[in-house]
Amino acid sequence: MARRGLTADAPDSTGKTTVFYDGHCGLCHGFVRFTLAEDRSGAIEFSPLQGELFSSSVSESQRAALPDSIVVRTPDGRLLTRSEAVSFVLARLGGIWRLPASVAALLPRRLLDACYDAVARVRLKLFRRPPETCPLVPAELRSRFRR
């Protein structure tokens, strides 16, 4: 994958990929659950866009320019959005998920982002909003969630 994206104020000190997600979106919650289930190596952590980690590690001017759905911070500090973020996570999961990531790399980014944006526009209508209370995360997965 080409090295694109904004750079966060600092690389992730844990050396892990962090998925920042909209804590009010059912589709984003589904993406987090999918990623948790498929990331057997535990290389991906999660934090809501509304959380302290996002506001402390990404400058206010950068936050204003980012979408309110999925933002990925790579271990080297790049911030990826839209289709690039999803492709990066799929590639990071490995196994069979590298195939759709590889196919996406062959398609024009503008086309992929247009599809991403179309889904993002209707996601809050199509996917039920999660309950106001946070779901209980099993003890063995709690260390992968950061505030």
Side-chain angles (χ1 to χ4, degrees), residues 11-42:
D12 188 322
S13 61
T14 65
K16 294 189 176 192
T17 296
T18 303
V19 173
F20 295 106
Y21 61 96
D22 180 358
H24 305 291
C25 170
L27 180 59
C28 295
H29 275 262
F31 183 73
V32 168
R33 290 177 62 144
F34 161 78
T35 305
L36 274 170
E38 296 297 324
D39 180 27
R40 291 173 184 31
S41 69

Side-chain angles (χ1 to χ4, degrees), residues 93-113:
L93 291 176
I96 190 73
W97 301 112
R98 285 188 184 146
L99 180 62
S102 297
V103 170
L106 299 174
L107 298 172
R109 179 77 50 208
R110 286 176 52 160
L111 173 65
L112 293 172
D113 282 346

Side-chain angles (χ1 to χ4, degrees), residues 60-80:
E60 188 175 336
S61 61
Q62 286 179 312
R63 289 192 312 265
L66 295 171
D68 66 347
S69 53
I70 298 289
V71 176
V72 171
R73 182 177 59 195
T74 65
D76 64 359
R78 290 178 295 133
L79 294 174
L80 309 177

Side-chain angles (χ1 to χ4, degrees), residues 52-68:
E52 296 170 22
L53 179 62
F54 187 64
S55 63
S56 68
S57 62
V58 179
S59 70
E60 188 175 336
S61 61
Q62 286 179 312
R63 289 192 312 265
L66 295 171
D68 66 347

Side-chain angles (χ1 to χ4, degrees), residues 1 3 13 22 25 34 45-46 50-51 67 83 85 88 92 98-99 104 107 115 123 128 136 140-141 144:
M1 268 184 216
R3 292 183 53 89
S13 61
D22 180 358
C25 170
F34 161 78
E45 294 183 329
F46 306 89
Q50 299 82 3
S83 64
F88 183 87
R92 184 85 179 193
R98 285 188 184 146
L99 180 62
L107 298 172
C115 293
R123 68 189 163 99
R128 200 178 73 222
L136 292 178
E140 67 273 11
L141 297 176
R144 297 185 53 199

